[in-house]
Amino acid sequence: AQSVTQPDIHITVSEGASLELRCNYSYGATPYLFWYVQSPGQGLQLLLKYFSGDTLVQGIKGFEAEFKRSQSSFNLRKPSVHWSDAAEYFCAVVGVTGGGNKLTFGTGTQLKVEL
Amino acid sequence: NAGVTQTPKFQVLKTGQSMTLQCAQDMNHNSMYWYRQDPGMGLRLIYYSASEGTTDKGEVPNGYNVSRLNKREFSLRLESAAPSQTSVYFCASSLKGEYRNEQFFGPGTRLTVL
């Protein structure tokens, strides 16, 4: 079965600083990977996704992620963080098993942005 | 175009009470999902419906039932609520039950069982 690990529960960065959120996955075949963001009191919004091809994926709000098969990682990055990026971020992998788009989520990383 | 809507937003129940969480989408999506979110555990799939007329268990189905009422609506029922079901519940939908299709999430229902 697939699994996702987000080793950092909380991260604090200063506004304008760069950001990297870590995600490691475990999956027997080619993984299909996602990053979602959850603002306080809101549902989840898709930031970006990786299915195949170019290992550097661009998303919304200036985020990007790099797929590294050798490290089983799909880390999320942003060159310069804005205060509005404070939220919880979830990495997810989909299990392509006999029908159904079954996402398996990591436990999330809470991002705090200091002004 | 409201996307995915959920009612109610908040609910407090006593142990043993029953209730139904409602979810509707107006995007003409085929597949719908129910998740629960607990601190430190991310989101876990309770049930899903790949298409109208079908439902299937997810990772944590015990204590829940679902009904795919029509293409738009997918409800989650707690027959006898327990404190362990205190959680935030999210409904989601996707165009089809395929890995390429993004899931769109509702705003959630915060449920407390006393």
Side-chain angles (χ1 to χ4, degrees):
Chain A
Q2 67 269 17
S3 66
V4 175
T5 301
Q6 294 181 247
D8 303 306
I9 299 174
H10 295 98
I11 282 186
T12 300
V13 299
S14 299
E15 189 175 36
S18 63
L19 172 69
E20 183 169 31
L21 302 182
R22 296 184 291 165
C23 171
N24 293 99
Y25 66 89
S26 173
Y27 189 60
T30 300
Y32 301 101
L33 297 155
F34 304 79
W35 274 100
Y36 281 85
V37 60
Q38 184 182 28
S39 298
Q42 303 295 315
L44 277 70
Q45 181 184 22
L46 181 68
L47 282 176
L48 47 78
K49 57 191 176 185
Y50 171 79
F51 294 145
S52 64
D54 194 347
T55 56
L56 186 63
V57 180
Q58 302 297 321
I60 63 171
K61 303 185 181 187
F63 285 92
E64 66 179 26
E66 186 170 12
F67 171 65
K68 293 185 177 180
R69 185 185 298 274
S70 61
Q71 298 177 19
S72 298
S73 69
F74 187 56
N75 293 349
L76 182 71
R77 301 194 296 243
K78 187 170 185 179
S80 177
V81 169
H82 189 262
W83 64 267
S84 60
D85 293 325
E88 190 158 21
Y89 292 80
F90 292 94
C91 183
V93 64
V94 65
V96 185
T97 54
N101 182 354
K102 299 181 191 179
L103 285 170
T104 297
F105 286 86
T107 52
T109 297
Q110 187 73 46
L111 174 64
K112 180 180 176 181
V113 180
E114 291 183 332
L115 300 177
Chain B
N1 193 341
V4 179
T5 57
Q6 294 182 236
T7 55
K9 286 186 169 50
F10 301 94
Q11 183 71 48
V12 179
L13 294 177
K14 295 181 179 178
T15 297
Q17 288 184 318
S18 63
M19 80 160 295
T20 300
L21 281 64
Q22 306 287 352
C23 173
Q25 52 87 13
D26 62 1
M27 296 176 282
N28 201 34
H29 284 173
N30 295 301
S31 301
M32 298 185 74
Y33 313 83
W34 276 105
Y35 294 89
R36 60 177 289 173
Q37 182 180 28
D38 302 293
M41 302 192 73
L43 278 79
R44 293 179 292 169
L45 183 65
I46 305 171
Y47 270 94
Y48 70 100
S49 171
S51 61
E52 186 179 356
T54 68
T55 61
D56 209 342
K57 295 178 180 179
E59 183 184 352
V60 288
N62 291 345
Y64 305 95
N65 286 300
V66 290
S67 296
R68 185 72 183 267
L69 305 170
N70 47 56
K71 190 172 185 179
R72 290 187 62 249
E73 298 172 289
F74 188 39
S75 63
L76 178 72
R77 183 161 179 83
L78 287 70
E79 290 291 352
S80 179
S84 61
Q85 294 178 304
T86 293
S87 187
V88 182
Y89 292 85
F90 287 99
C91 178
S93 70
S94 64
L95 182 57
K96 292 182 181 178
E98 298 172 3
Y99 65 88
R100 290 183 179 272
N101 295 125
E102 174 186 354
Q103 291 188 23
F104 292 82
F105 285 80
T109 294
R110 187 174 294 274
L111 175 67
T112 301
V113 183
L114 302 175

